[in-house]
Amino acid sequence: MTEAIEAVKPYRILSLDGGGAKGFYTLGVLEEIEGLIGCPLHEKFDLVFGTSTGAIIAAMIALGMPVKEIHAHYLKYVPEVMRLKTPSQKSAKLAELAKEIFKEAKFDSVKTAVGIVTTRWVIERPMIFKGSVEQAHGRKGTFLPGFGVTIGDAVQASCSAVPFFSPKTVTTGKGDEVELIDGGYCANNPTLYAIADATRALNLAHKDLRVVSVGVGVYPSPKPRFFSAMYWAKYFQSLQLLQKTLEINTQSMDQLRVILFKDVPTVRISDTFEQPEMTTDLFEHDLKKLNILRQRGRESFAKNEPLLKEYLL
């Protein structure tokens, strides 16, 4: 008599791109995914990675918040930050709101494995905040969840897109001061890092993974109304350079994923919109436009629903 072979439960990964206010698109996708699975996302996904706006969403998911609550926070807070003009104003407001949402929560309070991607400014390398020693690729004997940093500080660091935000200095549990900037400079699409945790740190087989990678969509860039003014000319040039840098990073990381992990079952959700009315950027604060992005996210889900059912149900 042969013994029945128990099926291996898929290890499910959710990866969320950076993109500022365009995270409303991500929320549209996630709202539909949550409706599909019938439970909060942290109960279905074993690992949630996020960069920048994706880090904000990932952190709230990992703390157990439903998408409806996350969306309410975005409606209230994102326009407040994005309409401010100077880096110091933006960073001060972001710090205030991070404190208000995450309070003093640390990475030992997350309900599922998480990765928050930031960039170390001085040595030009990634620094990823994680909740579990099982995700560590070394130095496990001295591991501290999130390096002992609060979730709010880590999230703010992941969103500190220089030159539009100021760098964020955090103090680790070991007493080290580290200057950090936006994680998008090293991995605006953090899917590769998440797969590396699953396959290298956790030693999971490629066939046992199910990856859902959600972007923020690609849109036409707005044109400045007063391009002759020197200040606005420089501002928009810097903004376009930042957006182009992040988009190149996003696409290159996804191309590498396809090459290196072609056999890892993955659905990538991030559509391109070319209609003039879809013009937007990282710092969009018009709630009507942001609601349209959310609607587009829900429509992108619909195109991928059959595969998502296969991966998640």
Side-chain angles (χ1 to χ4, degrees), residues 155-174:
V155 165
Q156 185 190 346
S158 186
C159 297
S160 295
V162 174
F164 297 96
F165 288 80
S166 304
K168 171 69 176 178
T169 299
V170 302
T171 302
T172 71
K174 308 289 187 186

Side-chain angles (χ1 to χ4, degrees), residues 50 52 55-56 59 63 91-107 116-119 127-130 145-161 165-173 176-183:
S52 197
I56 301 174
L63 289 171
S91 293
K93 178 58 72 170
L94 184 60
E96 176 188 325
L97 300 180
K99 188 83 168 179
E100 193 168 330
I101 293 172
F102 297 108
K103 300 181 171 56
E104 296 301 321
K106 292 194 173 184
F107 282 82
I116 301 300
V117 181
T118 69
T119 302
M127 182 172 182
I128 305 176
F129 294 82
K130 304 176 182 181
F147 301 101
V149 171
T150 66
I151 292 176
D153 280 351
V155 165
Q156 185 190 346
S158 186
C159 297
S160 295
F165 288 80
S166 304
K168 171 69 176 178
T169 299
V170 302
T171 302
T172 71
D176 300 325
E177 289 191 352
V178 185
E179 191 175 29
L180 301 170
I181 62 170
D182 197 294

Side-chain angles (χ1 to χ4, degrees), residues 48-63:
V48 183
F49 254 71
T51 297
S52 197
T53 194
I56 301 174
I57 299 170
M60 288 194 271
I61 289 171
L63 289 171

Side-chain angles (χ1 to χ4, degrees), residues 220-261:
S221 297
K223 299 193 183 303
R225 294 181 181 177
F226 306 105
F227 198 76
S228 58
M230 183 66 71
Y231 171 82
W232 288 111
K234 290 183 178 179
Y235 176 88
F236 278 100
Q237 286 174 350
S238 297
L239 178 56
Q240 288 174 344
L241 178 60
L242 173 61
Q243 293 203 134
K244 183 65 72 173
T245 298
L246 297 180
E247 186 57 37
I248 291 171
N249 181 291
T250 297
Q251 299 297 343
S252 63
M253 293 292 280
D254 200 53
Q255 187 173 359
L256 274 174
R257 175 192 62 79
V258 172
I259 294 170
L260 297 174
F261 297 105

